[in-house]
Amino acid sequence: MHKRVQKLIDVTADEWGLDKYYLKRHSFVKEENPNEGVSYELTMEWFPNEAAETEEGLNPPGTAVVDVDLHSERIKKIIFVNDISYAHAEALTVIHQTSEQIIEWVEEMTGLEYGRQFQLVEESKNEMHFRSAVDNIPVYPGGNIDITFNEQGQLTLFSIHGSFPTEDQVQWEPFALTSEIVEPIALDHCKLMEIPVENEQKWISVYGTSMFFLTNNGGKTISYDQVEKSIIYCNSVEPITWSHTSSASTISLEKIDLSPEISESEALSNNKEIDRKRSISKDEQTRIITEVSRLLQQELPDDNGQWKLTTIQQEHNYLFAILHPVKQDFRIIGPKIKVIMDSKTLKPLNYMDNRQLLDVFRDFKEAEMPVISKGEASEKLRSYLEISPVYVYQKGRYMLCGKIECSYVVDAVTGEMISLDE
């Protein structure tokens, strides 16, 4: 075991009062953050003394699972199995007394400033949940901090995950969006959709607008997926077709390992690695479409011309080419294929087709034809639009935007307003 790893193990046992525990095993994982690059963590599983693994191979009650960032040496997560803790660190019991003490402890654990970099979003008797923020304005993609205590007042969960902006990453400006600016843009996003109603086993036609972000000058809209997912290319293209006489070589499908676990040597040799989203050149786009075409011809030969490439996402060392039908209907849940490709060679490795999962809707009654127009629906939705300031991560900076959403849709047949919460 490397001496640096041993030091982190010793410090963890001391600071958390794990005298009644022994280290059962440890491992290393690689974590990807679309905003901050790649980090490496040490994961430890501490078993209570005298305890052993259960017959099912699960950790016994009271086990402490701890994740530590190898670069900052800060705790990223600690969880005690079954809400049982044998740790005796005095601070862990003291902080449970007031919300203010919990917040001060979180600031000490994370190095973040309350209000400035994170805000409280939910609190109950034994839980507190925080979200990343800039001066109490939410951030997207966001970060989360969760705290849980058991009935004895012992801390049984602390976790921090995601992005928390630093001051130099923020583009400061006053919020300038008004209803007059937002409403025409938001209502232009109103579209007809079909949504499933499970308890009635049917589809219904509704008009609604998906949540999106609008830059503070009102000049650009940004979709939720573009912000929250590692999308590096997004564009609808011509149908993907192929010649049935093609003699391209056979593609051997491979098992894809998305596990973040890595070796000790890899973890220690890459303390902090900036791995921003890669870009896709025009030539690479052409190559990707060609390779996707080869895979479809081999695996789904009857689907010639039925799919188009809409999105490319990056995850680990892979690219995910997302395909949707050329002839799309209005249903919000529809067919989709993900082609998994090597990020460097752009060779297809495997694919996922969700059409079998859609069989659950096979017996649903078809939606009725709309009666009211998009214009009528837009007017009904106008007063339900919600506009709130948020900071959105774009090209290395957090820029002030408006989050535009509507929690209601209009029944396209009856004109009734329907809450999405229902």
Side-chain angles (χ1 to χ4, degrees):
M1 182 185 297
H2 194 281
K3 62 181 180 181
R4 186 168 161 219
V5 175
Q6 186 62 60
K7 176 189 173 184
L8 288 174
I9 291 172
D10 294 340
V11 168
T12 299
D14 181 59
E15 290 185 350
W16 291 83
L18 302 179
D19 298 351
K20 297 181 179 179
Y21 288 82
Y22 69 97
L23 183 64
K24 175 66 176 180
R25 50 182 162 257
H26 70 284
S27 58
F28 302 88
V29 296
K30 179 179 180 179
E31 290 292 330
E32 297 187 14
N33 185 315
N35 299 6
E36 300 173 2
V38 175
S39 62
Y40 299 83
E41 296 178 9
L42 165 65
T43 295
M44 295 166 271
E45 295 177 51
W46 296 83
F47 278 23
N49 293 338
E50 312 301 331
E53 287 185 89
T54 64
E55 291 183 3
E56 296 80 10
L58 303 176
N59 289 339
T63 296
V65 181
V66 188
D67 295 342
V68 180
D69 185 285
L70 286 169
H71 176 70
S72 65
E73 299 189 353
R74 291 186 181 275
I75 295 286
K76 303 293 290 185
K77 181 170 71 174
I78 181 166
I79 182 169
F80 292 87
V81 175
N82 285 15
D83 245 12
I84 298 172
S85 171
Y86 301 109
H88 64 76
E90 183 178 351
L92 301 184
T93 302
V94 172
I95 62 172
H96 182 246
Q97 295 177 6
T98 67
S99 299
E100 289 76 14
Q101 287 175 305
I102 295 173
I103 291 170
E104 288 178 6
W105 181 79
V106 170
E107 289 183 317
E108 182 181 342
M109 288 292 296
T110 63
L112 301 172
E113 183 180 349
Y114 181 66
R116 191 75 169 171
Q117 292 173 284
F118 68 101
Q119 61 182 166
L120 179 65
V121 293
E122 186 178 352
E123 181 178 11
S124 61
K125 178 184 176 183
N126 291 321
E127 295 184 11
M128 292 185 77
H129 302 282
F130 304 90
R131 182 179 168 87
S132 57
V134 173
D135 290 340
N136 283 315
I137 295 176
V139 168
Y140 289 84
N144 297 286
I145 302 172
D146 300 300
I147 306 285
T148 301
F149 298 88
N150 61 19
E151 292 300 322
Q152 291 72 47
Q154 298 170 302
L155 185 138
T156 53
L157 168 69
F158 163 75
S159 71
I160 175 171
H161 177 77
S163 303
F164 294 82
T166 56
E167 192 165 321
D168 62 323
Q169 293 178 302
V170 179
Q171 182 176 312
W172 304 97
E173 57 182 314
F175 189 61
L177 293 177
T178 62
S179 297
E180 290 73 23
I181 296 172
V182 170
E183 282 184 4
I185 300 171
L187 296 179
D188 189 53
H189 277 66
C190 175
K191 61 182 181 181
L192 182 65
M193 301 175 284
E194 292 182 7
I195 59 177
V197 181
E198 186 175 3
N199 61 345
E200 298 181 34
Q201 294 283 290
K202 69 177 184 179
W203 294 87
I204 62 171
S205 297
V206 300
Y207 287 99
T209 177
S210 301
M211 188 186 89
F212 66 94
F213 303 99
L214 180 64
T215 54
N216 199 31
N217 62 7
K220 179 184 177 183
T221 61
I222 308 167
S223 73
Y224 179 83
D225 281 352
Q226 284 176 290
V227 173
E228 289 288 345
K229 298 181 180 179
S230 297
I231 294 177
I232 54 177
Y233 168 76
C234 185
N235 188 26
S236 294
V237 297
E238 295 298 318
I240 297 174
T241 59
W242 56 84
S243 167
H244 286 288
T245 60
S246 173
S247 58
S249 59
T250 301
I251 298 172
S252 298
L253 301 184
E254 302 178 14
K255 184 178 181 180
I256 303 302
D257 180 15
L258 295 177
S259 168
E261 191 164 332
I262 57 175
S263 67
E264 179 182 88
S265 59
E266 183 180 354
L268 295 177
S269 63
N270 295 280
N271 295 340
K272 189 68 175 177
E273 172 189 339
I274 301 300
D275 185 19
R276 304 296 185 191
K277 295 177 186 176
R278 62 163 292 181
S279 59
I280 298 290
S281 68
K282 292 286 186 181
D283 287 343
E284 286 177 318
Q285 291 177 26
T286 301
R287 285 177 56 199
I288 287 172
I289 292 173
T290 299
E291 294 296 332
V292 168
S293 174
R294 287 181 57 217
L295 181 78
L296 292 181
Q297 181 180 7
Q298 175 181 299
E299 299 295 320
L300 303 167
D302 294 333
D303 286 7
N304 196 352
Q306 295 183 19
W307 299 93
K308 61 183 179 181
L309 174 66
T310 57
T311 301
I312 298 175
Q313 298 174 5
Q314 182 178 3
E315 185 176 347
H316 299 289
N317 296 320
Y318 305 107
L319 295 179
F320 288 73
I322 314 299
L323 313 180
H324 286 93
V326 171
K327 296 180 179 179
Q328 286 188 276
D329 55 28
F330 297 111
R331 292 181 177 179
I332 63 170
I333 304 171
K336 179 170 62 176
I337 293 176
K338 288 186 179 183
V339 179
I340 307 166
M341 314 182 76
D342 185 286
S343 180
K344 295 179 180 178
T345 67
L346 302 184
K347 297 297 183 182
L349 305 173
N350 213 320
Y351 74 102
M352 295 179 283
D353 186 339
N354 80 336
R355 283 178 288 184
Q356 188 173 354
L357 300 177
L358 299 179
D359 284 348
V360 67
F361 302 116
R362 179 182 296 173
D363 297 327
F364 275 40
K365 183 180 177 182
E366 295 287 327
E368 296 181 49
M369 290 294 293
V371 173
I372 70 170
S373 68
K374 175 181 174 179
E376 292 173 310
S378 295
E379 287 304 311
K380 287 177 174 287
L381 290 169
R382 186 184 298 273
S383 60
Y384 292 92
L385 290 174
E386 300 172 35
I387 309 166
S388 54
V390 296
Y391 277 94
V392 174
Y393 186 81
Q394 292 283 285
K395 298 180 180 179
R397 301 277 289 172
Y398 287 90
M399 57 189 294
L400 189 61
C401 294
K403 182 179 72 169
I404 317 302
E405 58 187 333
C406 185
S407 56
Y408 284 81
V409 293
V410 180
D411 189 306
V413 176
T414 67
E416 178 188 357
M417 302 300 298
I418 304 173
S419 171
L420 292 176
D421 291 337
E422 299 175 8

